[in-house]
Amino acid sequence: MVLTRRAAGIAGVMALMAVVVVQADAGAREPVPPQRRASHPTWFSGFDAGPEPVRKGRTITIGGTLMAREAHTVVLKGKKVKLYFQPKGSSSWYYLGNDVTHSDGRFSVGVRATRDGSFRAVYGGSSAYRKTTSRGDYVDVR
């Protein structure tokens, strides 16, 4: 393609205008700071649902301690822990309720035994601590 001097001049001005607009627009945006990941890992220590086995209608106590690793291992107090139940033969987890950890990091909730299944605890995390989920603990109801 051959451009005349006038066409080349107009094309050059248009290209220059496009570069100026792009550079002006790019400078107008503020840089977005990178998302900071919660730095402290968490886990449940001594998580248990029991007694095992339990008679139908009796109380099952679900509990444990929420821990975190900072410079050393610490317990997390005042953190919300959600509790879930998965009936035997199901792939779904059902929300039972929640508890708030005490000053020693422990939580404990009692539920009525109705059928066999697994229990687990979930801590949703925060800006300082990562989320974590306990292992499932199976309870045989007779």
Side-chain angles (χ1 to χ4, degrees), residues 8-141:
I10 292 173
V13 170
M14 298 285 275
L16 180 61
M17 287 174 57
V19 169
V20 170
V21 168
V22 169
Q23 287 178 347
D25 184 44
R29 295 183 187 160
E30 293 184 26
V32 177
Q35 292 290 338
R36 184 166 177 210
R37 215 174 111 179
S39 60
H40 303 296
T42 60
W43 67 95
F44 290 103
S45 175
F47 177 75
D48 186 49
E52 300 168 46
V54 64
R55 281 209 255 158
K56 191 172 191 169
R58 301 278 185 167
T59 300
I60 298 172
T61 303
I62 308 161
T65 305
L66 181 58
M67 312 286 288
R69 183 78 171 153
E70 292 180 357
H72 55 285
T73 301
V74 297
V75 296
L76 295 182
K77 60 183 176 181
K79 303 297 182 188
K80 183 177 179 180
V81 175
K82 294 181 180 181
L83 302 164
Y84 294 87
F85 176 71
Q86 181 185 46
K88 180 180 179 180
S90 174
S91 60
S92 299
W93 288 92
Y94 298 95
Y95 177 73
L96 294 175
N98 63 66
D99 194 18
V100 176
T101 57
H102 304 140
S103 60
D104 60 357
R106 292 190 52 76
F107 64 93
S108 180
V109 173
V111 296
R112 186 161 311 270
T114 57
R115 61 190 289 196
D116 295 356
S118 296
F119 295 89
R120 76 176 179 188
V122 176
Y123 168 62
S126 69
S127 59
Y129 299 103
R130 296 181 194 159
K131 65 182 178 179
T132 190
T133 301
S134 72
R135 61 176 172 72
D137 190 14
Y138 184 81
V139 175
D140 180 22
V141 177

